[in-house]
Amino acid sequence: MAEVEAKSEDKPEKPKVPYEVKAGLFLSTAAGIGLLAGFGSALASAKKQDPKSFDAGMIGVDASAKQKMAHARHLHETGASLATRALGYGTLYAFTGCGILFFSIWKLMGVNNLTEFRDKCGGILPKIPKNNPPQSRTEFSGLNDLLQYIIDKDKEEKAMKHKSKES
């Protein structure tokens, strides 16, 4: 018995990784795999549509070939420069579009500061009812606990509907 206690004391305890870290790591991994799959399928689609231009864009062009191609009808860009330019234009359009939308809403409402904006929006938008005290559970130990709670509540509602139909 003393040997068993001695062996357990010799082993240092490994620090436990919190659940939130594990969940964040899982979600990050899933998102990364999704991004890689999407990017890979986009590349495959582009190569399938025009293999010659795709290869020219992936390899790039050396300086001597670039001078010869400058006199050609049009010069193909590398994939990286095309993507950078597209990202720049997309960012510009997104910020400009959202800025115009938000500014126009601000001016149409005729407000001068955020307090007035909040008051006007509070008058227009529906009120969110208070849930105090909560009518059901609000704390869950994890996703499995939440899903089991939802399943149990659904079964209870179905049983009540079935009971009311029989009455």
Side-chain angles (χ1 to χ4, degrees):
M1 186 78 170
E3 283 182 30
V4 173
E5 289 177 12
K7 285 182 181 178
S8 65
E9 290 176 8
D10 292 340
K11 294 181 182 178
E13 283 190 37
K14 292 183 181 179
K16 289 189 176 183
V17 179
Y19 177 77
E20 290 82 10
V21 173
K22 289 180 184 178
L25 186 63
F26 171 75
L27 290 175
S28 299
T29 303
I33 290 171
L35 283 171
L36 285 175
F39 187 70
S41 64
L43 280 178
S45 174
K47 186 170 184 172
K48 188 176 181 181
Q49 287 178 357
D50 192 2
K52 192 181 288 186
S53 294
F54 179 83
D55 291 336
M58 288 297 288
I59 296 169
V61 181
D62 61 349
S64 63
K66 199 176 229 182
Q67 290 175 351
K68 291 177 186 175
M69 291 181 68
H71 300 293
R73 203 166 191 187
H74 65 288
L75 181 64
H76 289 286
E77 291 184 77
T78 64
S81 65
L82 182 64
T84 304
R85 191 163 45 100
L87 180 63
Y89 280 126
T91 304
L92 176 73
Y93 293 151
F95 274 93
T96 304
C98 288
I100 290 171
L101 175 69
F102 301 149
F103 184 74
S104 60
I105 290 172
W106 182 274
K107 286 301 177 184
L108 287 173
M109 291 182 80
V111 294
N112 296 321
N113 56 32
L114 285 174
T115 307
E116 289 179 23
F117 181 76
R118 187 189 69 204
D119 292 339
K120 279 205 173 185
C121 285
I124 296 171
L125 297 173
K127 301 277 188 260
I128 298 174
K130 300 283 186 212
N131 190 16
N132 196 8
Q135 304 299 318
S136 59
R137 282 181 63 187
T138 58
E139 298 290 324
F140 299 96
S141 62
L143 185 60
N144 289 339
D145 189 25
L146 171 66
L147 293 175
Q148 188 61 47
Y149 174 74
I150 292 171
I151 290 169
D152 293 342
K153 276 292 197 183
D154 187 51
K155 285 180 183 177
E156 287 176 15
E157 289 176 8
K158 284 181 181 178
M160 289 181 70
K161 283 183 183 178
H162 185 66
K163 198 177 207 181
S164 67
K165 283 184 181 179
E166 288 179 355
S167 300

